[in-house]
Amino acid sequence: MDLSPPPCLEAAAFGPRTRHETAGVRVGFVQVGGRIAGHPAPIVVQSMTNTDTADIDGTVAQVAALARAGSEIVRITVDRDEAAAAVPHIRERLLRRGVNAPLVGDFHYIGHKLLADHPACAEALDKYRINPGNVGFREKRDRQFGAIIECAIRHGKAVRIGANWGSLDQELLTHLMDENARAARPLDARAITREAMVQSALRSAARAEEIGLGAERIILSAKVSAVQDLITIYRELARRSRYALHLGLTEAGMGSKGIVASSAALGILLQEGIGDTIRYSLTPEPGGDRTLEVRTAQELLQTMGFRTFVPLVAACPGCGRTTSTVFQELARDIQNWISESMPEWKTRYPGVETLNVAVMGCIVNGPGESKHADIGISLPGTGEAPAAPVFIDGEKRLTLRGAGIADAFKTIVADYIERRFGR
């Protein structure tokens, strides 16, 4: 009997297929796409503020929070003169705080005018984001699009050309619909809309190159809110071009819905080697934490094995054997402690992000999972003796007993980090 895995399982076992080759684009000091030292550049995590950019204090605070959470690029809205005038002051204050995350200006409708009227804004930004569906209409489109591209060339900036399902170029869509209606075998309207998204992005990129912007300064995106549409469109963009690609569902939604939808779409594309930078467009709860979208993007990349950001804490889901909440509380405390400590640990303990910790609730899988982690503990479940074996580097080193198990284990983890990762 042949027990060798089929090709699909072999591919899954060894991770994603070869990354789709793209032109590397410098956004500030961050490279998106291409190669670095012969290897594919890391997939970059980015996010966007939801403050009024004219509110300098509020925007600086949120950009700083997103950057601290791990957003490697941050986008801000530039929608009117007051916002454009605020951008250089935002940049200056961020640098005074030691925050140097590249800033992207999000322009719609009047971006050409704002960039022309506010040259300090044009210079302070690291990338301009424009939507070919609303950069201008009819005879104004080429002129206004060209003005933005020429500004990017003058200032040496990158440009993201971002088509969007909700503001698609209606002239292009109408043209493709009319062509389809005359075809012997017309496609459905959704397929034509997908094609319009692809063509809108690619035609705009080609026009930018004609004006003089190099491919190494162009990033493409095609934002939709449905998972299957996103997958289909980005497969086509990857097949037809070598531009760096920005992945993300638009209007993904709130809470678990937004997280699941984004993870499903992005996970499939990333596994196929498509995508150079990602954003989770999550709707926050009123007054909620904007940094959730950053952490979620990091967790996707780390879970899939593309990058490592923070130590992983594996914990069992619990069952009837684990009626005690001690392991849940300990897993939460360890995870929170790691998250809070990472800004300091990054400088004190190089490589600490590769640490794996296991917190298990009973003896069924606890010892096995703990052995596979760098350091793990199996807490006593229902009816078990109040003893918790601790495994370090695959070997049982000691057993904790009594009411202070949780605190004792945290001390052991801290000592392990110091020994292994301390300079």
Side-chain angles (χ1 to χ4, degrees):
M1 179 183 294
D2 183 7
L3 297 179
S4 60
C8 61
L9 291 184
E10 288 181 346
F14 291 98
R17 68 189 190 191
T18 303
R19 282 272 297 280
H20 170 62
E21 289 283 349
T22 59
V25 180
R26 299 293 296 185
V27 182
F29 64 89
V30 175
Q31 179 169 319
V32 176
R35 289 179 169 267
I36 298 176
H39 300 283
I43 298 164
V44 174
V45 171
Q46 60 179 282
S47 57
M48 184 176 184
T49 61
N50 61 359
T51 58
D52 178 356
T53 304
D55 173 7
I56 296 174
D57 291 341
T59 302
V60 167
Q62 192 170 90
V63 171
L66 291 167
R68 282 196 303 271
S71 184
E72 293 157 306
I73 297 173
V74 180
R75 182 159 45 116
I76 60 178
T77 298
V78 187
D79 57 347
R80 63 194 196 281
D81 286 307
E82 292 83 356
V87 170
H89 300 291
I90 291 168
R91 164 66 76 194
E92 180 184 1
R93 292 195 191 181
L94 286 168
L95 290 176
R96 286 208 302 262
R97 286 191 179 198
V99 177
N100 61 351
L103 292 180
V104 180
D106 195 59
F107 294 98
H108 297 278
Y109 304 109
I110 60 170
H112 62 288
K113 184 176 185 301
L114 293 174
L115 287 168
D117 292 348
H118 299 273
C121 168
E123 181 58 37
L125 294 169
D126 296 288
K127 183 175 74 174
Y128 311 151
R129 189 270 186 175
I130 55 177
N131 182 341
N134 61 32
V135 73
F137 303 98
R138 297 183 177 86
E139 70 279 357
K140 294 182 179 180
R141 178 185 298 111
D142 286 348
R143 174 161 45 85
Q144 294 176 177
F145 178 84
I148 297 175
I149 298 302
E150 287 169 358
C151 182
I153 294 170
R154 283 196 306 274
H155 292 278
K157 307 300 182 180
V159 173
R160 171 157 74 96
I161 297 172
N164 193 293
W165 190 275
S167 52
L168 186 55
D169 183 338
Q170 291 303 301
E171 290 184 36
L172 173 60
L173 180 59
T174 299
H175 171 71
L176 293 177
M177 288 290 187
D178 289 344
E179 277 192 343
N180 183 60
R182 294 190 294 269
R185 290 187 173 180
L187 301 174
D188 63 59
R190 197 169 196 95
I192 299 303
T193 305
R194 289 171 172 172
E195 176 63 18
M197 289 283 290
V198 174
Q199 288 199 25
S200 177
L202 292 178
R203 288 184 180 189
S204 297
R207 176 61 181 148
E209 287 203 67
E210 289 173 3
I211 295 169
L213 189 68
E216 75 284 355
R217 296 232 180 242
I218 298 173
I219 297 173
L220 295 187
S221 68
K223 294 294 195 73
V224 300
S225 56
V227 170
Q228 296 300 335
D229 290 328
L230 191 84
I231 294 168
T232 301
I233 288 168
Y234 273 92
R235 282 172 174 166
E236 280 301 297
L237 285 174
R239 186 178 71 83
R240 301 188 204 180
S241 78
R242 290 295 180 268
Y243 295 112
L245 297 177
H246 168 119
L247 302 187
L249 280 178
T250 188
E251 289 90 39
M254 182 178 286
S256 60
K257 186 269 179 187
I259 292 172
V260 170
S262 292
S263 299
L266 272 57
I268 289 170
L269 289 167
L270 292 171
Q271 186 67 19
E272 294 180 2
I274 298 170
D276 302 293
T277 179
I278 66 172
R279 184 202 168 195
Y280 272 64
S281 298
L282 302 180
T283 304
E285 296 285 345
D289 185 359
R290 189 71 168 177
T291 63
L292 174 63
E293 65 179 46
V294 178
R295 298 194 304 275
T296 308
Q298 289 179 328
E299 287 170 9
L300 175 73
L301 294 176
Q302 184 153 342
T303 299
M304 295 188 72
F306 294 114
R307 293 188 64 184
T308 304
F309 296 96
V310 296
L312 289 176
V313 179
C316 69
C319 65
R321 299 185 186 92
T322 57
T323 53
S324 169
T325 61
V326 173
F327 84 97
Q328 298 167 336
E329 293 165 356
L330 180 58
R332 179 197 62 200
D333 290 349
I334 292 291
Q335 188 72 69
N336 290 343
W337 172 53
I338 286 173
S339 297
E340 293 166 1
S341 302
M342 276 306 292
E344 178 190 355
W345 286 357
K346 284 179 181 178
T347 58
R348 289 184 58 192
Y349 304 117
V352 69
E353 64 274 6
T354 63
L355 178 70
N356 289 309
V357 180
V359 179
M360 308 304 293
C362 75
I363 61 172
V364 175
N365 293 316
E369 290 288 345
S370 296
K371 287 179 182 178
H372 289 298
D374 294 314
I375 182 168
I377 186 171
S378 177
L379 293 163
T382 303
E384 296 174 10
V390 175
F391 295 81
I392 299 176
D393 294 329
E395 297 182 2
K396 181 180 175 182
R397 297 292 179 87
L398 71 159
T399 299
L400 300 177
R401 292 182 172 82
I405 287 176
D407 289 338
F409 182 66
K410 290 173 71 173
T411 299
I412 293 169
V413 172
D415 290 343
Y416 180 86
I417 291 172
E418 179 65 41
R419 288 197 311 274
R420 178 175 170 183
F421 301 104
R423 291 177 175 176

